[in-house]
Amino acid sequence: MGAFSTSPLRAMAQQDSSAVQSPRSAWAAVPRAVAWVIFLGGMVGAGLGIAELRVEVTVAGLILACTTGLVLLKLRADAQQRDA
């Protein structure tokens, strides 16, 4: 069981540190930055909707934030898989 208790990030850190990682281009960061802006906009919209007691604004903000959060998780998983 000890072999399965190591997380993928720790396992990558234990690998040879002299391995050259592929450099990420500037264009790879654009979708992540756009997703973060949309995520934060959704969270702000949800907060404003709650503050003003507007259900439609709150729901729309939460939908944006949740959907973009899933997209960010997918981008992160793809980046980790590509680096491995």
Side-chain angles (χ1 to χ4, degrees):
M1 280 186 83
F4 297 110
S5 64
T6 305
S7 68
L9 294 177
R10 288 185 186 167
M12 288 181 64
Q14 292 175 354
Q15 292 177 351
D16 187 16
S17 62
S18 65
V20 177
Q21 294 181 358
S22 62
R24 293 183 182 163
S25 67
W27 292 109
V30 172
R32 178 174 281 167
V34 170
W36 272 107
V37 168
I38 295 172
F39 176 77
L40 292 174
M43 293 300 290
V44 168
L48 290 175
I50 291 171
E52 295 179 4
L53 298 176
R54 300 213 176 246
V55 175
E56 296 88 0
V57 175
T58 304
V59 170
L62 289 174
I63 289 172
L64 276 175
C66 290
T67 304
T68 312
L70 291 174
V71 170
L72 285 168
L73 287 173
K74 176 69 172 148
L75 289 173
R76 180 174 140 189
D78 288 346
Q80 286 179 351
Q81 186 179 26
R82 186 176 53 242
D83 290 342

